[in-house]
mmCIF file with all atom_site columns, all heavy atoms in Angstrom:
data_model
loop_
_atom_site.group_PDB
_atom_site.id
_atom_site.type_symbol
_atom_site.label_atom_id
_atom_site.label_alt_id
_atom_site.label_comp_id
_atom_site.label_asym_id
_atom_site.label_entity_id
_atom_site.label_seq_id
_atom_site.pdbx_PDB_ins_code
_atom_site.Cartn_x
_atom_site.Cartn_y
_atom_site.Cartn_z
_atom_site.occupancy
_atom_site.B_iso_or_equiv
_atom_site.pdbx_formal_charge
_atom_site.auth_seq_id
_atom_site.auth_comp_id
_atom_site.auth_asym_id
_atom_site.auth_atom_id
_atom_site.pdbx_PDB_model_num
ATOM 1  N N   . THR A 1 10  ? 107.828 100.500 79.937  1.00 0.00 ? 276 THR A N   1
ATOM 2  C CA  . THR A 1 10  ? 108.717 101.612 79.714  1.00 0.00 ? 276 THR A CA  1
ATOM 3  C C   . THR A 1 10  ? 108.016 102.971 79.761  1.00 0.00 ? 276 THR A C   1
ATOM 4  O O   . THR A 1 10  ? 108.579 103.980 80.255  1.00 0.00 ? 276 THR A O   1
ATOM 5  C CB  . THR A 1 10  ? 109.425 101.483 78.366  1.00 0.00 ? 276 THR A CB  1
ATOM 6  O OG1 . THR A 1 10  ? 110.098 100.269 78.245  1.00 0.00 ? 276 THR A OG1 1
ATOM 7  C CG2 . THR A 1 10  ? 110.460 102.602 78.107  1.00 0.00 ? 276 THR A CG2 1
ATOM 8  N N   . CYS A 1 15  ? 107.060 108.327 82.184  1.00 0.00 ? 281 CYS A N   1
ATOM 9  C CA  . CYS A 1 15  ? 106.221 109.337 82.885  1.00 0.00 ? 281 CYS A CA  1
ATOM 10 C C   . CYS A 1 15  ? 106.845 109.777 84.183  1.00 0.00 ? 281 CYS A C   1
ATOM 11 O O   . CYS A 1 15  ? 106.905 110.973 84.508  1.00 0.00 ? 281 CYS A O   1
ATOM 12 C CB  . CYS A 1 15  ? 104.854 108.655 83.146  1.00 0.00 ? 281 CYS A CB  1
ATOM 13 S SG  . CYS A 1 15  ? 103.692 109.676 84.023  1.00 0.00 ? 281 CYS A SG  1
ATOM 14 N N   . VAL A 1 22  ? 111.697 117.490 86.784  1.00 0.00 ? 288 VAL A N   1
ATOM 15 C CA  . VAL A 1 22  ? 111.166 118.833 87.007  1.00 0.00 ? 288 VAL A CA  1
ATOM 16 C C   . VAL A 1 22  ? 111.736 119.416 88.279  1.00 0.00 ? 288 VAL A C   1
ATOM 17 O O   . VAL A 1 22  ? 111.479 118.815 89.397  1.00 0.00 ? 288 VAL A O   1
ATOM 18 C CB  . VAL A 1 22  ? 109.646 118.880 86.994  1.00 0.00 ? 288 VAL A CB  1
ATOM 19 C CG1 . VAL A 1 22  ? 109.167 120.297 87.308  1.00 0.00 ? 288 VAL A CG1 1
ATOM 20 C CG2 . VAL A 1 22  ? 109.085 118.366 85.695  1.00 0.00 ? 288 VAL A CG2 1
ATOM 21 N N   . TYR A 1 33  ? 107.839 119.991 99.639  1.00 0.00 ? 299 TYR A N   1
ATOM 22 C CA  . TYR A 1 33  ? 108.559 118.737 99.441  1.00 0.00 ? 299 TYR A CA  1
ATOM 23 C C   . TYR A 1 33  ? 108.304 118.237 97.955  1.00 0.00 ? 299 TYR A C   1
ATOM 24 O O   . TYR A 1 33  ? 107.222 118.290 97.484  1.00 0.00 ? 299 TYR A O   1
ATOM 25 C CB  . TYR A 1 33  ? 108.002 117.713 100.410 1.00 0.00 ? 299 TYR A CB  1
ATOM 26 C CG  . TYR A 1 33  ? 108.840 116.520 100.615 1.00 0.00 ? 299 TYR A CG  1
ATOM 27 C CD1 . TYR A 1 33  ? 110.226 116.602 100.696 1.00 0.00 ? 299 TYR A CD1 1
ATOM 28 C CD2 . TYR A 1 33  ? 108.332 115.253 100.748 1.00 0.00 ? 299 TYR A CD2 1
ATOM 29 C CE1 . TYR A 1 33  ? 111.014 115.539 100.852 1.00 0.00 ? 299 TYR A CE1 1
ATOM 30 C CE2 . TYR A 1 33  ? 109.071 114.123 100.916 1.00 0.00 ? 299 TYR A CE2 1
ATOM 31 C CZ  . TYR A 1 33  ? 110.440 114.254 100.982 1.00 0.00 ? 299 TYR A CZ  1
ATOM 32 O OH  . TYR A 1 33  ? 111.164 113.157 101.181 1.00 0.00 ? 299 TYR A OH  1
ATOM 33 N N   . THR A 1 113 ? 119.009 120.852 94.693  1.00 0.00 ? 379 THR A N   1
ATOM 34 C CA  . THR A 1 113 ? 118.745 122.179 94.157  1.00 0.00 ? 379 THR A CA  1
ATOM 35 C C   . THR A 1 113 ? 118.850 123.217 95.314  1.00 0.00 ? 379 THR A C   1
ATOM 36 O O   . THR A 1 113 ? 119.082 122.798 96.471  1.00 0.00 ? 379 THR A O   1
ATOM 37 C CB  . THR A 1 113 ? 117.340 122.294 93.506  1.00 0.00 ? 379 THR A CB  1
ATOM 38 O OG1 . THR A 1 113 ? 116.370 122.092 94.540  1.00 0.00 ? 379 THR A OG1 1
ATOM 39 C CG2 . THR A 1 113 ? 117.135 121.286 92.406  1.00 0.00 ? 379 THR A CG2 1
ATOM 40 N N   . THR A 1 150 ? 106.618 112.572 103.844 1.00 0.00 ? 416 THR A N   1
ATOM 41 C CA  . THR A 1 150 ? 107.066 111.792 102.729 1.00 0.00 ? 416 THR A CA  1
ATOM 42 C C   . THR A 1 150 ? 106.391 112.235 101.420 1.00 0.00 ? 416 THR A C   1
ATOM 43 O O   . THR A 1 150 ? 105.374 112.815 101.436 1.00 0.00 ? 416 THR A O   1
ATOM 44 C CB  . THR A 1 150 ? 106.807 110.258 102.950 1.00 0.00 ? 416 THR A CB  1
ATOM 45 O OG1 . THR A 1 150 ? 105.375 110.146 103.021 1.00 0.00 ? 416 THR A OG1 1
ATOM 46 C CG2 . THR A 1 150 ? 107.410 109.761 104.199 1.00 0.00 ? 416 THR A CG2 1
ATOM 47 N N   . LEU A 1 191 ? 105.312 98.012  95.756  1.00 0.00 ? 457 LEU A N   1
ATOM 48 C CA  . LEU A 1 191 ? 104.702 97.664  94.451  1.00 0.00 ? 457 LEU A CA  1
ATOM 49 C C   . LEU A 1 191 ? 104.671 96.140  94.210  1.00 0.00 ? 457 LEU A C   1
ATOM 50 O O   . LEU A 1 191 ? 105.457 95.439  94.859  1.00 0.00 ? 457 LEU A O   1
ATOM 51 C CB  . LEU A 1 191 ? 105.440 98.350  93.283  1.00 0.00 ? 457 LEU A CB  1
ATOM 52 C CG  . LEU A 1 191 ? 106.834 97.773  92.896  1.00 0.00 ? 457 LEU A CG  1
ATOM 53 C CD1 . LEU A 1 191 ? 107.286 98.426  91.555  1.00 0.00 ? 457 LEU A CD1 1
ATOM 54 C CD2 . LEU A 1 191 ? 107.896 97.901  93.909  1.00 0.00 ? 457 LEU A CD2 1
ATOM 55 N N   . PRO A 1 249 ? 98.626  101.612 116.970 1.00 0.00 ? 515 PRO A N   1
ATOM 56 C CA  . PRO A 1 249 ? 97.721  102.431 116.146 1.00 0.00 ? 515 PRO A CA  1
ATOM 57 C C   . PRO A 1 249 ? 97.920  102.236 114.659 1.00 0.00 ? 515 PRO A C   1
ATOM 58 O O   . PRO A 1 249 ? 98.989  101.782 114.266 1.00 0.00 ? 515 PRO A O   1
ATOM 59 C CB  . PRO A 1 249 ? 98.173  103.854 116.549 1.00 0.00 ? 515 PRO A CB  1
ATOM 60 C CG  . PRO A 1 249 ? 99.571  103.707 116.873 1.00 0.00 ? 515 PRO A CG  1
ATOM 61 C CD  . PRO A 1 249 ? 99.738  102.363 117.569 1.00 0.00 ? 515 PRO A CD  1
ATOM 62 N N   . VAL A 1 296 ? 91.214  112.101 81.519  1.00 0.00 ? 562 VAL A N   1
ATOM 63 C CA  . VAL A 1 296 ? 91.749  112.059 82.864  1.00 0.00 ? 562 VAL A CA  1
ATOM 64 C C   . VAL A 1 296 ? 90.556  112.151 83.857  1.00 0.00 ? 562 VAL A C   1
ATOM 65 O O   . VAL A 1 296 ? 89.752  113.075 83.727  1.00 0.00 ? 562 VAL A O   1
ATOM 66 C CB  . VAL A 1 296 ? 92.834  113.109 83.159  1.00 0.00 ? 562 VAL A CB  1
ATOM 67 C CG1 . VAL A 1 296 ? 93.230  113.025 84.598  1.00 0.00 ? 562 VAL A CG1 1
ATOM 68 C CG2 . VAL A 1 296 ? 93.976  112.865 82.226  1.00 0.00 ? 562 VAL A CG2 1
#
Side-chain angles (χ1 to χ4, degrees):
T276 304
C281 180
V288 176
Y299 196 40
T379 64
T416 62
L457 76 169
V562 176

